[in-house]
Amino acid sequence: MRVTLVGCLPPLEVELRRRLLAWRESTRVEARAWDLPLKDTQVVLLGPAVPSPLVVAQRVHRESPSSEIVLAPPSEKVASLSESLKTIPYVPASIAVVAANETARVVTTIGSACLRAQARASLDRNLRALDAQLSTPPMASVPKETLDQLRARMKLLSSIVESSGDAILSKKLDGTITSWNDGAARLYGYQAEEIVGRSVETIVPLDRLDEVHDIHARIREGKRVPPFETERVRADGMRVTVSLTVSPIFDALDRVIGASAIARDVSETKRLVMALEERTCDLERSNRDLEQFAYVASHDLREPLRMVSAYTELLSDRYGDLLDERGHRYLGFALDGATRMKQLIGDLLEYSKVGHDQERSRVDLTEVVALARDNLQIAIEESGARIEHGELPFVVGDRTQLVQLFQNLIDNAIKFRGAERPMVRIGARREDDDFCRVTVADDGIGIEERFAERVFVIFQRLGGREAPAGSGIGLSVAKKIVEGHGGRIWVESELGCGTTFNFTLRYASSVGEAS
């Protein structure tokens, strides 16, 4: 026996299919769309979702005169449909109306007054057999515990949806909204009773309608739409930026019957990101202006400083015999100040260049330390300093700036040495998967803990005039170089017990790797 179910939505279709197969194993049950040909079938059951069931029934009869036709409208329409069968001039010979509730049980059987006796007897026989099978309470074989678990799970899922801060809605394939949680009400400004039953296009801007059509086409194919940023319209007409995810909804027969949409308001996040980007642009522009100012100022100040130095020396040479001891001391102060000013301007120019024209590549720190030692050869020989290092890694960075980094740190260790011959030890170890930690340790005079941050401030000299010569810019340059490479630098020291500078650099995993 072949039975065709048309327009029977779950759970009716699922339950009918299960019971029909249990009734007769040879029964072939199939589900069809109401607008497809329905030939070569013994029983056609037109379910509640079939539009104009009498028109469809007559069409089925024309295509398959031998088929028995059963109309299964919603319970509230049974009486009116039965009366219509009695009043229309012609109805198919083998037709009947049954009322099926949501549990798929046949509540009543009503025969058409126009049925021929033979056809009606055959139809009644099949309907009685069907009713006998459907009279059993649905899912009677399912243990009560399982049913309770299913109900509890459904209640849990429902409460999760309702309590979610995200806007969650479901819709049919034609875009009609079928459910609407509290999060959707807060986001869009519509209450559930206002929006359920209306098209989802109600909350879509006119310039985004094509986007909705593309989403529906993808959903009909059973494909999920991954999160993407878009805009929707609130009840008050204001636009809101949301992150939207749309997923298909399947029935028990694995057919797409609708879609669920989850939207999260990202308007504030987007505003903050835009503000941060604007702030970053302002800071970058400010930094460029400051660097440009430092570069130009250092150049422009050199010429008048050169004149001050030249005329001070000329004054000393030509009129030195006319000056007393105090006058010579004053000239010495002037020359010393001009010399220090010249060094400060040079250091300022050097500082302003750090971070520009970087060429990131795979750099061997062993070679970098060797180059730094060569540049400091005179200072190393004069101080008798010993420079030791273990195995050093390859890192990603600018070779020239890394040489300057180690040169400044080693030079700092030599300048602030103790009474003994200075010892500088350089090492490296893994910090994490991406970075290594490099240490430059000395046995010099050390730094008080309260000055641990001040040592990296530009032009800060903690020792006063009695400290070794310098402008106090070397460690500032070192800090700028490390941070420009994405790392960080800090100092560990105790007064009289030496100093250790720690900084991190990114590992290079392959030749030519760049940041």
Side-chain angles (χ1 to χ4, degrees):
M1 182 177 180
R2 184 177 180 184
V3 179
T4 301
L5 307 178
V6 182
C8 297
L9 300 178
L12 178 61
E13 180 182 320
V14 177
E15 195 63 25
L16 280 174
R17 180 184 293 271
R18 186 178 71 82
R19 292 165 185 266
L20 285 169
L21 292 175
W23 168 39
R24 184 181 298 176
E25 292 183 0
S26 60
T27 300
R28 180 181 176 186
V29 183
E30 61 181 4
R32 303 286 295 278
W34 65 271
D35 57 347
L36 296 177
L38 297 167
K39 298 179 180 180
D40 304 323
T41 183
Q42 283 71 45
V43 179
V44 178
L45 192 147
L46 303 180
V50 174
S52 305
L54 289 180
V55 176
V56 177
Q58 294 186 50
R59 175 189 159 190
V60 172
H61 179 67
R62 286 195 301 271
E63 293 181 359
S64 182
S66 61
S67 297
E68 296 176 354
I69 303 171
V70 180
L71 306 184
S75 302
E76 65 272 12
K77 295 184 179 181
V78 171
S80 61
L81 190 58
S82 300
E83 291 300 318
S84 298
L85 280 170
K86 297 175 182 178
T87 57
I88 61 176
Y90 169 77
V91 293
S94 53
I95 191 169
V97 180
V98 299
N101 61 14
E102 63 179 4
T103 62
R105 175 172 179 183
V106 176
V107 178
T108 182
T109 302
I110 305 171
S112 168
C114 302
L115 289 176
R116 291 196 297 268
Q118 183 178 0
R120 178 167 181 171
S122 173
L123 180 58
D124 284 345
R125 184 168 59 252
N126 283 324
L127 286 176
R128 281 195 299 272
L130 179 60
D131 186 57
Q133 293 300 318
L134 298 180
S135 61
T136 309
M139 303 178 71
S141 61
V142 180
K144 183 177 184 301
E145 293 78 10
T146 304
L147 290 176
D148 291 341
Q149 292 172 1
L150 289 174
R151 293 190 187 99
R153 184 180 179 188
M154 292 299 295
K155 185 176 181 180
L156 175 62
L157 292 175
S158 177
S159 64
I160 291 174
V161 170
E162 287 302 321
S163 62
S164 174
D166 294 333
I168 303 177
L169 63 91
S170 62
K171 57 187 177 180
K172 298 179 182 178
L173 289 177
D174 62 0
T176 302
I177 297 172
T178 55
S179 69
W180 187 266
N181 76 336
D182 291 341
R186 289 190 295 271
L187 177 59
Y188 297 117
Y190 292 98
Q191 297 302 314
E193 56 270 18
E194 298 177 288
I195 196 71
V196 171
R198 297 171 65 179
S199 172
V200 72
E201 294 181 1
T202 304
I203 58 174
V204 179
L206 293 178
D207 58 345
R208 299 274 183 170
L209 290 179
D210 290 342
E211 170 188 290
V212 175
H213 299 157
D214 293 340
I215 291 174
H216 285 172
R218 188 175 179 88
I219 291 298
R220 287 189 180 93
E221 297 175 358
K223 298 178 180 178
R224 177 177 177 269
V225 180
F228 69 100
E229 190 173 293
T230 184
E231 288 185 334
R232 290 295 180 258
V233 178
R234 291 173 44 86
D236 57 9
M238 298 294 293
R239 288 197 176 205
V240 58
T241 305
V242 299
S243 175
L244 185 65
T245 305
V246 186
S247 303
I249 298 176
F250 299 91
D251 64 8
L253 301 177
D254 205 28
R255 296 176 303 187
V256 179
I257 60 173
S260 66
I262 302 176
R264 175 169 295 178
D265 185 359
V266 295
S267 300
E268 182 65 16
T269 302
K270 187 174 182 180
R271 187 190 68 79
L272 292 174
V273 169
M274 293 178 63
L276 180 61
E277 291 176 349
E278 183 177 353
R279 177 75 169 171
T280 301
C281 290
D282 290 342
L283 288 174
E284 290 176 350
R285 183 168 56 252
S286 176
N287 286 336
R288 287 195 299 269
D289 293 343
L290 288 173
E291 290 171 357
Q292 183 67 18
F293 171 77
Y295 184 80
V296 172
S298 62
H299 275 79
D300 292 347
L301 287 174
R302 281 185 170 184
E303 185 59 30
L305 181 62
R306 188 179 296 111
M307 293 181 62
V308 170
S309 298
Y311 279 99
T312 302
E313 291 176 357
L314 186 61
L315 182 64
S316 177
D317 292 340
R318 292 190 177 184
Y319 302 100
D321 296 339
L322 302 177
L323 299 175
D324 57 11
E325 182 179 353
R326 179 177 297 180
H328 282 288
R329 187 164 64 251
Y330 290 164
L331 279 178
F333 289 158
L335 286 172
D336 182 59
T339 302
R340 287 190 291 111
M341 179 63 74
K342 181 179 180 180
Q343 182 179 358
L344 287 174
I345 291 174
D347 290 341
L348 182 62
L349 178 61
E350 178 184 356
Y351 185 79
S352 67
K353 290 179 179 180
V354 174
H356 293 285
D357 302 325
Q358 292 185 359
E359 294 183 3
R360 300 292 176 85
S361 61
R362 189 170 185 261
V363 180
D364 184 356
L365 288 187
T366 301
E367 296 180 1
V368 167
V369 171
L371 289 172
R373 291 183 61 172
D374 291 342
N375 294 340
L376 294 170
Q377 188 64 37
I378 295 177
I380 292 174
E381 291 178 354
E382 289 179 350
S383 64
R386 292 171 295 171
I387 314 296
E388 297 180 356
H389 66 82
E391 183 178 356
L392 299 177
F394 286 83
V395 299
V396 176
D398 181 275
R399 182 186 299 272
T400 301
Q401 291 193 5
L402 292 178
V403 170
Q404 186 179 11
L405 168 65
F406 280 94
Q407 182 175 319
N408 287 1
L409 294 177
I410 296 172
D411 184 54
N412 185 81
I414 294 174
K415 285 181 178 178
F416 294 92
R417 61 184 182 271
E420 302 295 330
R421 178 184 178 189
M423 166 67 75
V424 181
R425 295 183 175 88
I426 301 172
R429 66 175 185 269
R430 179 176 293 276
E431 181 78 356
D432 54 37
D433 291 340
D434 296 323
F435 287 86
C436 64
R437 180 197 292 194
V438 182
T439 58
V440 178
D442 63 55
D443 57 356
I445 61 176
I447 304 170
E448 292 185 55
E449 185 177 353
R450 59 195 178 100
F451 296 136
E453 291 298 325
R454 285 182 56 188
V455 296
F456 297 110
V457 178
I458 188 171
F459 298 140
Q460 281 285 339
R461 302 179 73 246
L462 303 182
R465 288 187 173 271
E466 65 276 8
S471 61
I473 199 173
L475 296 181
S476 302
V477 171
K479 185 175 188 291
K480 193 172 183 182
I481 291 173
V482 171
E483 292 180 347
H485 283 71
R488 61 190 184 95
I489 185 171
W490 68 100
V491 62
E492 297 172 349
S493 180
E494 185 177 346
L495 193 62
C497 298
T499 303
T500 300
F501 286 94
N502 303 268
F503 57 92
T504 57
L505 295 172
R506 187 180 297 275
Y507 275 116
S509 58
S510 60
V511 176
E513 179 180 348
S515 174

